[in-house]
Amino acid sequence: MQELLNVFKALSDETRLRILKIAEKGEICVCDLVSVLDMSQPKISFHLNTLKEAGLLKDRKQGKWVHYSINDSDMFRRFLVLSVLEKIPGEAVKKNLARLRTVMNIKNKNRCCEK
Amino acid sequence: MQELLNVFKALSDETRLRILKIAEKGEICVCDLVSVLDMSQPKISFHLNTLKEAGLLKDRKQGKWVHYSINDSDMFRRFLVLSVLEKIPGEAVKKNLARLRTVMNIKNKNRCCEK
DNA sequence: GTAACATATAAACATCTTTTGATTTGTTTG
DNA sequence: CAAACAAATCAAAAGATGTTTATATGTTAC
């Protein structure tokens, strides 16, 4: 039962829904998330860990960086996340997604997790 | 976004999942829930209100009693609840469901919400 | 009307979760 | 190896949620 509760707890936070919405667009590293969401790094790390513990995100370490992405190994979670993200009003995450596009386009300077 | 968050917050509590599991079997009044879950009445009322506010339960007043049941007017919530209840390990709610059967069978004495 | 009952609400308290600021760990680069 | 950086962790503070005890509200039965 606790495992199921952890999934819902993970989904009951606005910041975490934003993270999922961003991760839906593709794998993202912590430093980019900090920049896209404009929140402190420990705060982002805390929420990423919560999502990971709930089995909703998975991580991939590469050098200094850690990349997070939607964990699609479990059908129930995958489906939940899909239907949840569908339900988030576009207006609510508009700015985050715009910022994501901007950050992704800066391939040269200012860009973290890019060799 | 808040409305969506409230649905997940409502689903992130063990007592509330138990209540939903019981309500799946049919409409139930507060006094019976208190007896089935063996918890204080204000505690049950608190959780019922949380579920109602999240749009997962609806209530029906009848005389002294208030009967709660799954609110199936919204597809997203209905589907969520269905798949969630499916996921709860039977072992976890076995005793509650047994107690529910007992309580439902006592139609004569000790039974509240029965004229 | 008053007594008995079912439920809701409120205030005080306990517990859990999130945020912050400081620090640590681990990796890369020169 | 030292400096620079990314991310995680930690302890303390702040905030939110759940629980308890006592009380209020509304209904029924006498």
Side-chain angles (χ1 to χ4, degrees), chain B residues 9 13 15-16 40 42-43 46-47 63-64 115:
Chain B
K9 281 182 188 174
D13 179 273
T15 300
R16 291 194 288 266
S40 75
K43 182 171 167 177
F46 168 80
H47 290 297
K64 287 197 281 188
K115 266 201 281 212

Side-chain angles (χ1 to χ4, degrees), chain B:
Chain B
M1 171 101 82
Q2 196 51 54
E3 200 191 328
L4 185 62
L5 288 170
N6 285 342
V7 174
F8 292 115
K9 281 182 188 174
L11 293 171
S12 331
D13 179 273
E14 183 168 340
T15 300
R16 291 194 288 266
L17 289 192
R18 282 182 200 282
I19 291 176
L20 287 176
K21 196 83 183 180
I22 290 164
E24 267 286 294
K25 301 288 178 186
E27 197 185 54
I28 186 151
C29 72
V30 180
C31 48
D32 281 344
L33 260 181
V34 166
S35 153
V36 169
L37 290 171
D38 191 26
M39 291 173 182
S40 75
Q41 176 268 314
K43 182 171 167 177
I44 299 286
S45 275
F46 168 80
H47 290 297
L48 285 171
N49 186 57
T50 304
L51 287 164
K52 188 181 151 193
E53 289 295 306
L56 298 174
L57 287 185
K58 62 181 186 230
D59 63 351
R60 179 175 70 85
K61 270 147 210 160
Q62 184 191 34
K64 287 197 281 188
W65 302 287
V66 182
H67 303 263
Y68 284 84
S69 56
I70 304 272
N71 177 6
D72 46 15
S73 70
D74 176 77
M75 275 312 215
F76 175 67
R77 288 171 173 82
R78 187 74 197 89
F79 184 81
L80 242 188
V81 169
L82 266 174
S83 38
V84 168
L85 295 187
E86 168 78 13
K87 279 276 165 184
I88 298 175
E91 191 53 44
V93 286
K94 203 169 132 183
K95 283 181 186 170
N96 295 142
L97 296 182
R99 184 111 187 77
L100 175 64
R101 262 174 268 120
T102 309
V103 167
M104 285 313 176
N105 282 334
I106 309 169
K107 295 278 175 196
N108 341 344
K109 53 182 181 176
N110 294 6
R111 185 87 167 71
C112 74
C113 51
E114 203 73 63
K115 266 201 281 212

Side-chain angles (χ1 to χ4, degrees), chain A residues 57-70:
Chain A
L57 286 184
K58 62 180 185 231
D59 62 351
R60 179 174 69 85
K61 270 148 210 159
Q62 184 190 35
K64 287 197 282 189
W65 303 286
V66 181
H67 302 262
Y68 284 84
S69 55
I70 304 274

Side-chain angles (χ1 to χ4, degrees), chain A residues 9 13 15-16 40 42-43 46-47 63-64 115:
Chain A
K9 281 183 189 174
D13 178 274
T15 300
R16 291 194 289 266
S40 76
K43 181 171 168 178
F46 168 80
H47 290 296
K64 287 197 282 189
K115 264 200 284 212

Side-chain angles (χ1 to χ4, degrees), chain A residues 18-19 21-23 28-39 44 93-104 111:
Chain A
R18 283 182 199 282
I19 291 176
K21 195 82 182 179
I22 291 164
I28 186 150
C29 73
V30 179
C31 48
D32 280 344
L33 261 181
V34 166
S35 152
V36 168
L37 289 171
D38 192 27
M39 290 173 181
I44 299 286
V93 287
K94 204 169 129 183
K95 283 181 185 169
N96 295 142
L97 295 182
R99 184 111 189 76
L100 175 64
R101 263 174 265 119
T102 308
V103 167
M104 285 314 177
R111 187 88 167 69

